[in-house]
Amino acid sequence: MERQDIEVFLALAEELHFARTAERLHVSAATISQTIAKLERRFGAPLFRRTTRRVELTSLGRQLLDDLRPAHAQVQAAIERATAAGHGITGTLELGYMSAAVAQVVLPLADAFRDRVPGRRVAIRETTLADLFGPLRRAEVDLSVLPLPVEEPDLAVGPTLLSEPAMLAVPADHPLAHRTRVDHDEIARERVFFADALPRYWIDHHLPVPDRLTASLPGFQEILAYVTAGHGVALVGAQTSNLYPRPGLVCIPVGGDATFDYALVWRPDRLRTIAEAFLRHLTPQTGR
């Protein structure tokens, strides 16, 4: 088997979807079908069972997957080590993140990156809403996972790592506290807290209504404290109730499929080699 054939088979075995596999490998769906057909002719039996509704591995396909996956991982690791040595990919990657919810996604990616090539290190640093872009612009971090949207001319935005439903945080005695959902028009009637120094376009995205009443506070913990005390409300992610629980604080789903999305962001003019390596490593992890 050629390396390209192996990568097509392994990707399809993971995705179990021809179109997603083609998108992931940046080839056409026809190329995926032709490659699998070629392999099945070689082995003399189907590797996948296809129906109009699903794709699944046959027993032969499962056997091939179990045999190929560890060997392929060893080859990839050897290539990564040689590439790192040849390009001097050493040192420490400084990776910024926001919130405990994002940390649950970032830490496994950092661990996997360290494991691929000995000698690589990743330092995790928590950043704040009040200084959203500062650590990147001051070169304190190489990459940072930030809440979208990010529309800064000096910053590049990469793959989304986390998407969670948007919620409205209110005090437990608030008239909206017992609602099953709340719309943006209703939110606009309240005093809505945002962190200091957030861009206007960020607020417009998350509260897209005119005549709103907003106020700013230094950071997320201060916002939750003021909301709990009855001074206003705040838009938060769905994991706030679990990760930042407070007596007297209630979170209600926001209508319209509103979400909070977090993506990797960096300065293109200061992207170090080790950060480029992390972004390359991230692509198969996210399937993008």
Side-chain angles (χ1 to χ4, degrees):
M1 293 176 66
E2 297 180 2
R3 180 181 174 184
Q4 182 179 2
D5 297 341
I6 293 173
E7 290 178 349
V8 167
F9 169 76
L10 291 175
L12 183 57
E14 181 177 329
E15 298 287 349
L16 295 178
H17 192 283
F18 279 79
R20 285 199 301 268
T21 301
E23 181 183 1
R24 171 172 165 177
L25 298 180
H26 306 291
V27 298
S28 67
T31 297
I32 303 299
S33 297
Q34 292 163 7
T35 300
I36 297 303
K38 179 179 70 173
L39 292 176
E40 291 177 333
R41 287 194 300 271
R42 174 175 181 175
F43 295 123
L47 297 171
F48 295 90
R49 187 175 297 107
R50 306 123 162 121
T51 69
T52 56
R53 306 181 68 176
R54 62 185 303 177
V55 176
E56 59 186 14
L57 285 161
T58 63
S59 57
L60 176 62
R62 173 59 60 184
Q63 175 187 324
L64 183 62
L65 176 63
D66 292 342
D67 290 341
L68 276 181
R69 183 180 278 161
H72 182 261
Q74 290 180 345
V75 170
Q76 289 296 102
I79 293 172
E80 287 278 349
R81 285 192 293 270
T83 301
H87 290 85
I89 303 173
T90 57
T92 301
L93 173 70
E94 303 288 343
L95 180 58
Y97 73 95
M98 297 186 63
S99 88
V102 175
Q104 293 177 340
V105 176
V106 169
L107 290 175
L109 291 173
D111 290 340
F113 179 67
R114 281 191 295 255
D115 291 344
R116 291 295 293 269
V117 180
R120 293 180 183 179
R121 296 181 296 278
V122 181
I124 304 298
R125 171 177 176 170
E126 187 171 9
T127 58
T128 67
L129 276 171
D131 189 21
L132 201 61
F133 310 122
L136 280 172
R137 288 176 170 151
R138 294 190 296 269
E140 296 168 356
V141 297
D142 297 298
L143 304 168
S144 193
V145 185
L146 299 179
L148 298 177
V150 172
E151 300 173 2
E152 303 296 306
D154 60 328
L155 301 179
V157 180
T160 298
L161 301 184
L162 173 67
S163 182
E164 57 177 339
M167 311 284 281
L168 183 70
V170 301
D173 59 355
H174 193 281
L176 295 173
H178 300 292
R179 293 279 297 278
T180 57
R181 60 175 277 168
V182 60
D183 295 324
H184 282 114
D185 288 341
E186 296 174 292
I187 298 172
R189 301 170 194 154
E190 306 290 334
R191 186 187 192 200
V192 186
F193 289 114
F194 289 94
D196 291 340
L198 281 174
R200 177 65 178 267
Y201 66 76
W202 199 94
I203 297 173
D204 290 342
H205 176 83
H206 291 286
L207 189 57
V209 291
D211 302 323
R212 63 202 175 197
L213 176 61
T214 63
S216 61
L217 288 167
F220 190 62
Q221 295 294 346
E222 291 87 349
I223 289 173
L224 293 183
Y226 270 71
V227 170
T228 305
H231 295 288
V233 302
L235 289 163
V236 300
Q239 298 191 57
T240 297
S241 297
N242 295 328
L243 299 175
Y244 302 95
R246 286 173 178 261
L249 185 72
V250 175
C251 293
I252 311 155
V254 176
D257 298 323
T259 61
F260 274 92
D261 303 317
Y262 298 82
L264 271 172
V265 181
W266 62 90
R267 281 188 58 174
D269 62 332
R270 288 190 178 178
L271 190 61
R272 295 195 297 143
T273 305
I274 192 169
E276 292 177 339
F278 182 84
L279 290 171
R280 288 195 302 270
H281 164 77
L282 189 67
T283 300
Q285 299 292 321
T286 58
R288 300 293 297 174

